[in-house]
Amino acid sequence: MKDPHVVSFSPMHHWTEHNIRVHTFTCVLALQIAHLMRYQARHAGLHLSVRALLAELAGIEETVLLYQGDKGRPKARRMLTETTPTQDQLIDLFRLDRYAPRQ
């Protein structure tokens, strides 16, 4: 939890006991979920560290392309950027296509 690039416990911008407890719970929960995702990826044949897994997932991005229509407002088309084979495997494994824009 001290790694600032994975699920970091600090900086904590809370001063009341309740908010500190909630912050701690959220950090521990996020770290547990990240390790469960790493475990699931390992069983699917992807041997990645938590840091590498989160970096691959962070590389899956969405962009909005604006096209000028015939009249009125421009048309917007949402699409995913190009992905690597590892990112494609993670998309399939975690069923992230449910959240991707429809073509």
Side-chain angles (χ1 to χ4, degrees):
M1 288 181 48
K2 293 180 182 179
D3 187 342
H5 301 291
V6 181
V7 180
S8 178
F9 184 73
S10 59
M12 183 181 347
H13 303 287
H14 305 289
W15 295 273
T16 64
E17 182 180 349
H18 172 73
N19 288 350
I20 291 171
R21 286 177 186 252
V22 170
H23 178 81
T24 303
F25 173 75
T26 305
C27 290
V28 171
L29 182 63
L31 188 60
Q32 183 64 36
I33 290 171
H35 278 281
L36 288 172
M37 291 174 74
R38 181 189 56 82
Y39 179 78
Q40 191 174 359
R42 188 176 72 213
H43 281 294
L46 291 169
H47 299 281
L48 301 168
S49 66
V50 171
R51 180 183 284 202
L53 174 72
L54 294 177
E56 288 287 340
L57 290 171
I60 301 171
E61 298 177 338
E62 179 182 348
T63 188
V64 178
L65 299 176
L66 297 175
Y67 297 98
Q68 187 60 43
D70 294 334
K71 55 186 172 181
R73 297 188 333 198
K75 295 182 180 183
R77 180 171 178 234
R78 300 165 65 101
M79 59 187 295
L80 293 180
T81 57
E82 290 186 20
T83 54
T84 65
T86 302
Q87 289 170 337
D88 291 336
Q89 285 181 283
L90 291 172
I91 289 170
D92 292 339
L93 178 63
F94 298 123
R95 297 179 50 212
L96 299 178
D97 55 337
R98 296 178 290 177
Y99 308 107
R102 305 263 188 246
Q103 295 291 336

